[in-house]
Amino acid sequence: MSNANAFSGISQELIEKLSSDGITAPTKVQNMIIPKIQKGEKILFQSETGTGKTLAYLLPLIDRLEKDEDRTKLRILIIAPTFELASQINMTAKKLTSRKTALIIGGSPIKRQIETLKEKPQIITGTAARIVELARLKKIKLNDLTACVFDEIDRLVKKESFKETDEILHVIPSEIQLIACSATINKAARLFLPGITTEILPEEDVLKKNITHWAIYAESRDKIDTLRKFLAAEKIEKALVFTSRSDQVENIYSKLRYKKVDCMALYSKADKTERKMAIDRFRSGKSKILITSDLAARGLDIANISHVVQMDLPSDIDFFIHRSGRTARAGKSGINVVIGDEYEMRQFAAIEKKLGIIVYPKEIHDGKITEPVLD
Protein backbone atom coordinates (compact mmCIF):
# COMPACT_ATOMS: atom_id res chain seq x y z
CA MET A 1 0.00 0.00 0.00
CA SER A 2 1.30 3.40 -0.95
CA ASN A 3 1.26 6.28 1.49
CA ALA A 4 0.16 8.45 -1.44
CA ASN A 5 -3.42 7.31 -0.79
CA ALA A 6 -4.06 5.45 2.45
CA PHE A 7 -7.65 4.78 1.36
CA SER A 8 -6.33 2.24 -1.15
CA GLY A 9 -5.87 -0.22 1.71
CA ILE A 10 -9.38 0.30 3.10
CA SER A 11 -12.30 -1.93 2.10
CA GLN A 12 -14.48 -0.82 -0.79
CA GLU A 13 -17.55 -0.85 1.45
CA LEU A 14 -15.95 1.70 3.78
CA ILE A 15 -14.79 3.80 0.84
CA GLU A 16 -18.37 3.93 -0.46
CA LYS A 17 -19.64 5.05 2.94
CA LEU A 18 -17.04 7.84 2.96
CA SER A 19 -18.01 8.88 -0.57
CA SER A 20 -21.66 9.16 0.43
CA ASP A 21 -20.48 11.67 3.05
CA GLY A 22 -18.51 13.60 0.45
CA ILE A 23 -15.08 12.25 1.47
CA THR A 24 -13.15 11.01 -1.55
CA ALA A 25 -9.49 11.47 -0.63
CA PRO A 26 -7.49 11.11 2.60
CA THR A 27 -6.07 14.08 4.45
CA LYS A 28 -2.38 14.33 5.30
CA VAL A 29 -2.84 12.92 8.78
CA GLN A 30 -4.89 10.03 7.41
CA ASN A 31 -2.23 9.25 4.81
CA MET A 32 0.42 9.09 7.50
CA ILE A 33 -1.47 7.38 10.34
CA ILE A 34 -3.79 4.84 8.68
CA PRO A 35 -0.95 2.58 7.38
CA LYS A 36 0.78 2.66 10.78
CA ILE A 37 -2.38 1.62 12.62
CA GLN A 38 -3.00 -1.11 10.06
CA LYS A 39 0.47 -2.48 10.87
CA GLY A 40 -0.51 -2.63 14.53
CA GLU A 41 1.85 0.14 15.70
CA LYS A 42 1.28 1.90 18.99
CA ILE A 43 1.17 5.57 18.13
CA LEU A 44 0.76 9.06 19.58
CA PHE A 45 0.04 11.66 16.91
CA GLN A 46 -0.53 15.39 16.69
CA SER A 47 -2.34 17.17 13.89
CA GLU A 48 -4.10 20.51 13.71
CA THR A 49 -7.81 20.87 14.35
CA GLY A 50 -10.04 19.99 11.43
CA THR A 51 -7.51 17.72 9.70
CA GLY A 52 -9.38 14.42 10.13
CA LYS A 53 -7.83 12.75 13.19
CA THR A 54 -10.96 10.78 14.14
CA LEU A 55 -11.16 9.02 10.77
CA ALA A 56 -7.38 8.49 10.84
CA TYR A 57 -7.84 5.97 13.64
CA LEU A 58 -11.46 4.84 13.12
CA LEU A 59 -11.04 3.75 9.49
CA PRO A 60 -8.20 1.23 10.00
CA LEU A 61 -9.66 -0.05 13.29
CA ILE A 62 -13.13 -0.59 11.81
CA ASP A 63 -11.65 -2.06 8.63
CA ARG A 64 -9.90 -4.64 10.81
CA LEU A 65 -13.05 -5.21 12.86
CA GLU A 66 -15.11 -5.95 9.75
CA LYS A 67 -12.82 -8.92 9.02
CA ASP A 68 -13.43 -10.33 12.53
CA GLU A 69 -15.88 -13.24 12.36
CA ASP A 70 -16.67 -13.02 16.07
CA ARG A 71 -19.33 -10.33 16.49
CA THR A 72 -19.74 -10.72 20.25
CA LYS A 73 -16.46 -9.53 21.76
CA LEU A 74 -15.49 -5.96 22.65
CA ARG A 75 -12.54 -5.05 20.40
CA ILE A 76 -12.19 -1.26 20.37
CA LEU A 77 -12.28 1.15 23.34
CA ILE A 78 -12.19 4.91 22.74
CA ILE A 79 -11.72 7.35 25.63
CA ALA A 80 -12.76 11.01 25.25
CA PRO A 81 -12.70 13.88 27.78
CA THR A 82 -16.29 15.07 27.30
CA PHE A 83 -19.76 13.72 26.64
CA GLU A 84 -20.02 15.78 23.46
CA LEU A 85 -16.81 14.47 21.90
CA ALA A 86 -17.57 10.87 22.91
CA SER A 87 -21.04 11.17 21.39
CA GLN A 88 -19.60 12.60 18.19
CA ILE A 89 -17.05 9.78 17.83
CA ASN A 90 -19.75 7.19 18.51
CA MET A 91 -21.96 8.75 15.85
CA THR A 92 -19.10 8.63 13.31
CA ALA A 93 -18.44 4.96 14.13
CA LYS A 94 -22.13 4.13 13.64
CA LYS A 95 -22.00 5.65 10.16
CA LEU A 96 -19.05 3.43 9.23
CA THR A 97 -20.10 0.04 10.57
CA SER A 98 -23.12 -2.11 11.34
CA ARG A 99 -21.23 -3.71 14.23
CA LYS A 100 -22.73 -2.80 17.59
CA THR A 101 -21.41 0.33 19.29
CA ALA A 102 -22.11 1.81 22.72
CA LEU A 103 -21.76 5.25 24.29
CA ILE A 104 -20.76 4.88 27.96
CA ILE A 105 -20.53 8.20 29.79
CA GLY A 106 -20.81 9.55 33.31
CA GLY A 107 -23.97 11.38 34.29
CA SER A 108 -26.22 8.97 32.39
CA PRO A 109 -28.26 6.18 34.03
CA ILE A 110 -25.88 3.31 34.75
CA LYS A 111 -28.68 0.70 34.66
CA ARG A 112 -29.52 1.65 31.09
CA GLN A 113 -25.85 1.38 30.13
CA ILE A 114 -25.62 -2.07 31.71
CA GLU A 115 -28.60 -3.13 29.57
CA THR A 116 -26.82 -1.73 26.48
CA LEU A 117 -23.72 -3.78 27.34
CA LYS A 118 -25.81 -6.95 27.29
CA GLU A 119 -26.11 -6.41 23.52
CA LYS A 120 -22.35 -7.09 23.32
CA PRO A 121 -21.04 -3.94 21.58
CA GLN A 122 -17.73 -4.31 19.76
CA ILE A 123 -16.87 -0.61 19.95
CA ILE A 124 -17.29 1.38 23.17
CA THR A 125 -16.74 5.13 23.26
CA GLY A 126 -16.98 7.00 26.51
CA THR A 127 -15.51 8.81 29.46
CA ALA A 128 -12.83 7.17 31.58
CA ALA A 129 -14.49 7.23 35.01
CA ARG A 130 -17.71 5.48 33.94
CA ILE A 131 -15.86 2.89 31.85
CA VAL A 132 -13.55 2.06 34.76
CA GLU A 133 -16.57 1.84 37.09
CA LEU A 134 -18.33 -0.67 34.83
CA ALA A 135 -15.13 -2.62 34.27
CA ARG A 136 -14.64 -2.92 38.04
CA LEU A 137 -18.24 -4.18 38.29
CA LYS A 138 -17.40 -6.80 35.63
CA LYS A 139 -20.04 -5.32 33.33
CA ILE A 140 -17.47 -4.39 30.67
CA LYS A 141 -15.12 -7.22 29.74
CA LEU A 142 -11.87 -5.80 28.42
CA ASN A 143 -9.79 -8.96 28.00
CA ASP A 144 -10.64 -9.31 24.28
CA LEU A 145 -9.75 -5.72 23.35
CA THR A 146 -7.45 -5.24 20.37
CA ALA A 147 -7.10 -1.42 20.55
CA CYS A 148 -7.59 1.48 22.96
CA VAL A 149 -7.72 5.09 21.72
CA PHE A 150 -7.21 8.22 23.84
CA ASP A 151 -8.74 11.12 21.88
CA GLU A 152 -7.72 14.64 22.99
CA ILE A 153 -4.97 13.03 25.08
CA ASP A 154 -3.63 16.38 26.33
CA ARG A 155 -6.98 17.07 27.97
CA LEU A 156 -7.25 13.54 29.37
CA VAL A 157 -3.93 13.80 31.22
CA LYS A 158 -4.61 17.19 32.80
CA LYS A 159 -4.65 17.23 36.60
CA GLU A 160 -8.44 17.16 36.92
CA SER A 161 -8.85 14.00 34.82
CA PHE A 162 -5.48 12.23 35.07
CA LYS A 163 -6.51 9.75 37.79
CA GLU A 164 -9.43 8.34 35.77
CA THR A 165 -7.38 8.22 32.54
CA ASP A 166 -4.52 6.47 34.30
CA GLU A 167 -6.93 3.86 35.68
CA ILE A 168 -7.83 2.88 32.11
CA LEU A 169 -4.25 1.70 31.58
CA HIS A 170 -4.61 -0.53 34.63
CA VAL A 171 -7.82 -2.24 33.48
CA ILE A 172 -6.99 -2.89 29.81
CA PRO A 173 -4.70 -5.71 28.60
CA SER A 174 -1.07 -4.54 28.43
CA GLU A 175 -0.37 -5.98 24.97
CA ILE A 176 -3.13 -4.20 23.02
CA GLN A 177 -2.57 -1.46 20.43
CA LEU A 178 -2.52 1.99 22.05
CA ILE A 179 -3.41 5.05 19.98
CA ALA A 180 -3.58 8.66 21.18
CA CYS A 181 -4.08 11.97 19.40
CA SER A 182 -4.69 15.67 19.82
CA ALA A 183 -4.15 18.98 18.08
CA THR A 184 -1.72 19.90 20.85
CA ILE A 185 0.43 17.21 22.46
CA ASN A 186 2.15 18.23 25.68
CA LYS A 187 4.90 16.74 27.82
CA ALA A 188 2.36 15.08 30.13
CA ALA A 189 0.90 13.16 27.19
CA ARG A 190 4.32 11.86 26.18
CA LEU A 191 5.08 10.81 29.77
CA PHE A 192 1.72 9.07 30.02
CA LEU A 193 2.49 6.88 27.01
CA PRO A 194 6.28 6.42 27.07
CA GLY A 195 8.11 4.44 24.43
CA ILE A 196 5.47 4.55 21.71
CA THR A 197 5.91 6.12 18.28
CA THR A 198 5.16 9.85 18.22
CA GLU A 199 4.21 11.57 14.98
CA ILE A 200 3.94 15.34 14.80
CA LEU A 201 2.48 16.31 11.46
CA PRO A 202 3.84 19.47 9.85
CA GLU A 203 1.62 22.45 10.51
CA GLU A 204 -0.80 23.14 7.70
CA ASP A 205 -1.09 26.72 8.93
CA VAL A 206 -4.88 26.51 9.11
CA LEU A 207 -4.85 29.40 11.59
CA LYS A 208 -2.90 31.55 9.13
CA LYS A 209 -4.17 30.43 5.74
CA ASN A 210 -7.82 29.50 6.24
CA ILE A 211 -8.95 31.63 9.19
CA THR A 212 -9.37 35.41 9.17
CA HIS A 213 -8.88 36.93 12.63
CA TRP A 214 -10.85 39.98 13.74
CA ALA A 215 -10.57 42.03 16.94
CA ILE A 216 -13.58 44.03 18.15
CA TYR A 217 -13.03 46.29 21.17
CA ALA A 218 -15.69 46.36 23.88
CA GLU A 219 -15.70 47.10 27.59
CA SER A 220 -16.77 44.12 29.71
CA ARG A 221 -20.23 45.56 30.41
CA ASP A 222 -20.86 46.07 26.68
CA LYS A 223 -19.61 42.72 25.38
CA ILE A 224 -22.93 40.88 25.11
CA ASP A 225 -24.61 43.81 23.36
CA THR A 226 -21.60 44.01 21.01
CA LEU A 227 -22.02 40.29 20.32
CA ARG A 228 -25.70 40.83 19.52
CA LYS A 229 -24.86 43.65 17.11
CA PHE A 230 -22.13 41.55 15.50
CA LEU A 231 -24.46 38.60 14.94
CA ALA A 232 -27.03 40.93 13.38
CA ALA A 233 -24.47 42.65 11.14
CA GLU A 234 -22.56 39.62 9.87
CA LYS A 235 -23.86 36.94 7.52
CA ILE A 236 -23.71 33.92 9.82
CA GLU A 237 -23.95 30.36 8.59
CA LYS A 238 -23.14 28.91 12.01
CA ALA A 239 -21.44 30.73 14.88
CA LEU A 240 -19.82 29.11 17.91
CA VAL A 241 -19.52 31.57 20.82
CA PHE A 242 -16.92 30.80 23.52
CA THR A 243 -16.51 32.02 27.05
CA SER A 244 -14.08 30.66 29.65
CA ARG A 245 -16.54 30.84 32.53
CA SER A 246 -19.37 28.30 32.64
CA ASP A 247 -21.69 30.71 34.46
CA GLN A 248 -21.24 33.23 31.64
CA VAL A 249 -22.60 30.74 29.08
CA GLU A 250 -26.04 30.90 30.67
CA ASN A 251 -25.77 34.67 31.13
CA ILE A 252 -24.96 35.30 27.45
CA TYR A 253 -27.67 32.84 26.39
CA SER A 254 -30.40 34.43 28.51
CA LYS A 255 -29.53 37.99 27.44
CA LEU A 256 -29.48 37.09 23.74
CA ARG A 257 -32.78 35.21 24.07
CA TYR A 258 -34.28 38.25 25.83
CA LYS A 259 -33.31 40.26 22.74
CA LYS A 260 -35.08 37.63 20.54
CA VAL A 261 -31.82 36.12 19.22
CA ASP A 262 -32.35 32.45 18.33
CA CYS A 263 -29.49 30.57 19.98
CA MET A 264 -28.62 27.44 21.97
CA ALA A 265 -26.26 26.92 24.91
CA LEU A 266 -24.00 24.21 26.31
CA TYR A 267 -23.44 24.81 30.01
CA SER A 268 -22.50 22.66 32.98
CA LYS A 269 -25.91 22.77 34.71
CA ALA A 270 -27.68 21.39 31.65
CA ASP A 271 -28.41 17.66 31.66
CA LYS A 272 -27.32 15.31 28.87
CA THR A 273 -30.67 15.55 27.07
CA GLU A 274 -30.53 19.35 26.95
CA ARG A 275 -26.90 19.32 25.82
CA LYS A 276 -27.65 16.78 23.08
CA MET A 277 -30.62 18.82 21.88
CA ALA A 278 -28.47 21.98 21.74
CA ILE A 279 -25.79 20.28 19.64
CA ASP A 280 -28.31 18.55 17.39
CA ARG A 281 -30.14 21.80 16.65
CA PHE A 282 -26.85 23.56 15.95
CA ARG A 283 -25.48 20.71 13.84
CA SER A 284 -28.64 20.54 11.74
CA GLY A 285 -28.71 24.32 11.23
CA LYS A 286 -32.06 24.80 13.00
CA SER A 287 -30.20 27.14 15.33
CA LYS A 288 -27.30 29.13 13.90
CA ILE A 289 -25.68 30.16 17.19
CA LEU A 290 -24.28 27.94 19.96
CA ILE A 291 -22.81 29.43 23.15
CA THR A 292 -20.39 27.23 25.04
CA SER A 293 -17.39 26.89 27.33
CA ASP A 294 -14.01 25.41 26.38
CA LEU A 295 -14.68 22.11 28.11
CA ALA A 296 -18.06 21.51 26.45
CA ALA A 297 -16.86 22.24 22.93
CA ARG A 298 -13.51 20.47 23.13
CA GLY A 299 -13.00 18.42 19.97
CA LEU A 300 -16.42 19.14 18.49
CA ASP A 301 -16.41 18.60 14.75
CA ILE A 302 -19.45 20.33 13.32
CA ALA A 303 -19.53 21.13 9.62
CA ASN A 304 -19.92 24.62 8.19
CA ILE A 305 -19.13 26.74 11.25
CA SER A 306 -18.51 30.06 9.55
CA HIS A 307 -17.62 32.07 12.66
CA VAL A 308 -16.01 31.52 16.04
CA VAL A 309 -16.56 34.33 18.55
CA GLN A 310 -14.37 34.50 21.65
CA MET A 311 -15.90 36.59 24.43
CA ASP A 312 -12.64 36.43 26.37
CA LEU A 313 -9.16 35.03 25.87
CA PRO A 314 -8.13 31.79 27.59
CA SER A 315 -5.01 31.74 29.74
CA ASP A 316 -3.76 28.68 27.84
CA ILE A 317 -2.85 29.39 24.21
CA ASP A 318 -3.78 25.79 23.32
CA PHE A 319 -7.38 26.67 24.13
CA PHE A 320 -7.19 29.61 21.72
CA ILE A 321 -6.01 27.20 19.02
CA HIS A 322 -8.75 24.67 19.77
CA ARG A 323 -11.39 27.40 19.82
CA SER A 324 -10.28 28.97 16.55
CA GLY A 325 -10.02 25.57 14.89
CA ARG A 326 -13.75 24.92 15.20
CA THR A 327 -14.10 26.92 11.98
CA ALA A 328 -12.26 26.43 8.66
CA ARG A 329 -12.50 22.66 8.88
CA ALA A 330 -11.96 20.23 6.01
CA GLY A 331 -10.22 22.85 3.88
CA LYS A 332 -12.90 25.55 4.22
CA SER A 333 -12.33 29.12 5.36
CA GLY A 334 -13.73 30.85 8.43
CA ILE A 335 -13.62 33.90 10.68
CA ASN A 336 -12.37 34.00 14.28
CA VAL A 337 -13.50 37.04 16.26
CA VAL A 338 -12.27 38.20 19.66
CA ILE A 339 -14.54 40.67 21.49
CA GLY A 340 -12.32 42.09 24.20
CA ASP A 341 -11.44 44.98 26.45
CA GLU A 342 -8.15 46.85 26.48
CA TYR A 343 -6.32 44.16 28.47
CA GLU A 344 -7.60 41.38 26.18
CA MET A 345 -6.61 43.34 23.09
CA ARG A 346 -3.04 43.40 24.43
CA GLN A 347 -3.29 39.65 25.05
CA PHE A 348 -4.54 39.16 21.50
CA ALA A 349 -1.60 41.17 20.16
CA ALA A 350 0.79 38.84 22.01
CA ILE A 351 -1.00 35.77 20.58
CA GLU A 352 -0.83 37.35 17.11
CA LYS A 353 2.93 37.64 17.42
CA LYS A 354 3.43 34.17 18.93
CA LEU A 355 1.30 32.30 16.35
CA GLY A 356 2.31 34.46 13.38
CA ILE A 357 -1.28 35.32 12.48
CA ILE A 358 -2.63 38.68 11.28
CA VAL A 359 -5.38 40.32 13.35
CA TYR A 360 -7.65 42.87 11.69
CA PRO A 361 -9.35 45.45 13.97
CA LYS A 362 -13.08 45.88 13.26
CA GLU A 363 -15.92 48.10 14.47
CA ILE A 364 -19.71 47.90 14.21
CA HIS A 365 -21.46 51.03 12.91
CA ASP A 366 -25.03 51.42 11.69
CA GLY A 367 -25.52 47.67 11.54
CA LYS A 368 -22.37 47.08 9.49
CA ILE A 369 -18.89 45.77 10.29
CA THR A 370 -16.30 48.32 9.25
CA GLU A 371 -12.63 49.19 9.53
CA PRO A 372 -11.88 51.45 12.53
CA VAL A 373 -11.64 55.13 11.72
CA LEU A 374 -8.16 56.41 12.55
CA ASP A 375 -7.87 59.77 14.26
Coordinates of all heavy atoms in Angstrom, one line a residue, residues 49 108 138 151 156 179 185 194 223 247 257 259 266 274 291-292 307 309 317 324 332 354 356:
T49 N -6.4 21.1 14.3 CA -7.8 20.9 14.4 C -8.4 20.9 12.9 O -7.9 21.6 12.1 CB -8.5 22.0 15.2 OG1 -8.1 23.2 14.6 CG2 -8.1 22.0 16.6
S108 N -25.1 9.7 33.0 CA -26.2 9.0 32.4 C -26.6 7.8 33.3 O -25.7 7.2 34.0 CB -25.9 8.5 31.0 OG -25.7 9.6 30.1
K138 N -17.4 -5.7 36.5 CA -17.4 -6.8 35.6 C -18.5 -6.7 34.6 O -18.9 -7.7 34.0 CB -17.5 -8.1 36.4 CG -16.6 -8.3 37.6 CD -15.1 -8.4 37.1 CE -14.2 -8.7 38.3 NZ -12.8 -8.6 37.9
D151 N -8.5 9.9 22.7 CA -8.7 11.1 21.9 C -8.7 12.4 22.7 O -9.2 12.4 23.8 CB -10.1 11.0 21.2 CG -10.2 11.9 19.9 OD1 -9.7 13.1 20.0 OD2 -10.7 11.4 18.9
L156 N -7.0 14.7 28.5 CA -7.3 13.5 29.4 C -6.2 13.4 30.5 O -6.5 12.8 31.5 CB -7.3 12.3 28.5 CG -8.5 12.1 27.6 CD1 -8.3 10.9 26.7 CD2 -9.7 11.8 28.5
I179 N -3.4 3.9 20.9 CA -3.4 5.0 20.0 C -3.9 6.3 20.7 O -4.8 6.2 21.5 CB -4.4 4.8 18.8 CG1 -4.0 3.5 18.0 CG2 -4.5 6.0 17.9 CD1 -5.1 2.9 17.2
I185 N -0.1 18.2 21.6 CA 0.4 17.2 22.5 C 1.5 17.8 23.4 O 2.4 18.5 23.0 CB 1.1 16.1 21.7 CG1 0.0 15.2 21.0 CG2 1.9 15.2 22.6 CD1 0.5 14.1 20.1
P194 N 4.9 6.4 27.4 CA 6.3 6.4 27.1 C 6.6 5.3 26.1 O 6.0 4.2 26.1 CB 7.0 6.2 28.4 CG 6.0 5.4 29.2 CD 4.6 5.9 28.8
K223 N -20.0 43.8 26.3 CA -19.6 42.7 25.4 C -20.8 42.0 24.8 O -20.8 41.7 23.6 CB -18.7 41.7 26.1 CG -17.3 42.1 26.3 CD -16.5 41.0 26.8 CE -15.0 41.3 26.9 NZ -14.2 40.2 27.4
D247 N -20.5 29.9 34.1 CA -21.7 30.7 34.5 C -22.0 31.8 33.4 O -23.2 32.2 33.3 CB -21.5 31.3 35.8 CG -20.3 32.3 35.9 OD1 -19.3 32.0 35.2 OD2 -20.3 33.3 36.6
R257 N -31.4 35.7 24.2 CA -32.8 35.2 24.1 C -33.8 36.3 24.4 O -34.8 36.5 23.8 CB -33.0 34.0 25.0 CG -32.3 32.8 24.6 CD -32.7 32.1 23.3 NE -34.1 31.5 23.5 CZ -34.6 30.7 22.6 NH1 -34.0 30.5 21.4 NH2 -35.8 30.3 22.7
K259 N -33.3 39.4 23.9 CA -33.3 40.3 22.7 C -33.8 39.5 21.5 O -33.6 40.0 20.3 CB -31.9 40.8 22.5 CG -31.4 41.7 23.6 CD -32.1 43.1 23.5 CE -31.5 44.1 24.5 NZ -32.2 45.4 24.4
L266 N -24.6 25.4 25.6 CA -24.0 24.2 26.3 C -23.4 24.7 27.6 O -22.4 25.4 27.6 CB -22.9 23.6 25.5 CG -23.2 22.7 24.3 CD1 -22.0 22.2 23.6 CD2 -24.1 21.5 24.7
E274 N -30.6 17.9 27.4 CA -30.5 19.3 27.0 C -29.3 19.6 26.1 O -29.3 20.3 25.1 CB -30.6 20.3 28.2 CG -31.9 20.3 28.9 CD -31.8 21.1 30.2 OE1 -30.9 21.0 31.0 OE2 -32.8 21.9 30.4
I291 N -23.7 28.8 22.1 CA -22.8 29.4 23.1 C -22.3 28.3 24.0 O -23.0 27.5 24.5 CB -23.6 30.5 24.0 CG1 -24.2 31.5 23.1 CG2 -22.7 31.2 25.0 CD1 -25.6 32.0 23.5
T292 N -21.0 28.4 24.3 CA -20.4 27.2 25.0 C -19.1 27.6 25.8 O -18.6 28.7 25.6 CB -20.1 26.1 24.1 OG1 -19.6 25.0 24.8 CG2 -19.0 26.5 23.0
H307 N -18.2 31.1 11.7 CA -17.6 32.1 12.7 C -17.4 31.4 14.0 O -18.3 30.7 14.5 CB -18.5 33.3 12.8 CG -18.7 34.1 11.6 ND1 -19.5 33.7 10.5 CD2 -18.3 35.3 11.3 CE1 -19.5 34.6 9.6 NE2 -18.8 35.6 10.0
V309 N -16.6 33.1 17.8 CA -16.6 34.3 18.5 C -16.0 34.0 19.9 O -16.6 33.2 20.7 CB -17.9 35.0 18.6 CG1 -17.8 36.4 19.4 CG2 -18.5 35.2 17.2
I317 N -2.8 29.1 25.7 CA -2.8 29.4 24.2 C -3.4 28.2 23.4 O -4.0 28.3 22.4 CB -1.5 29.8 23.7 CG1 -1.6 30.5 22.3 CG2 -0.5 28.6 23.6 CD1 -0.4 31.3 21.8
S324 N -10.3 28.4 17.9 CA -10.3 29.0 16.6 C -10.5 27.9 15.5 O -11.1 28.1 14.5 CB -8.9 29.6 16.3 OG -8.7 30.6 17.3
K332 N -12.1 24.3 4.4 CA -12.9 25.5 4.2 C -12.3 26.7 4.9 O -11.3 26.6 5.6 CB -14.3 25.3 4.8 CG -15.1 24.2 4.0 CD -16.5 24.2 4.4 CE -17.3 23.2 3.5 NZ -18.7 23.2 3.8
K354 N 2.9 35.5 18.6 CA 3.4 34.2 18.9 C 3.0 33.2 17.9 O 3.8 32.3 17.5 CB 2.9 33.7 20.3 CG 3.5 32.4 20.8 CD 3.2 32.1 22.2 CE 3.9 30.8 22.7 NZ 3.6 30.6 24.1
G356 N 2.0 34.0 14.7 CA 2.3 34.5 13.4 C 1.1 34.7 12.5 O 1.1 34.6 11.3

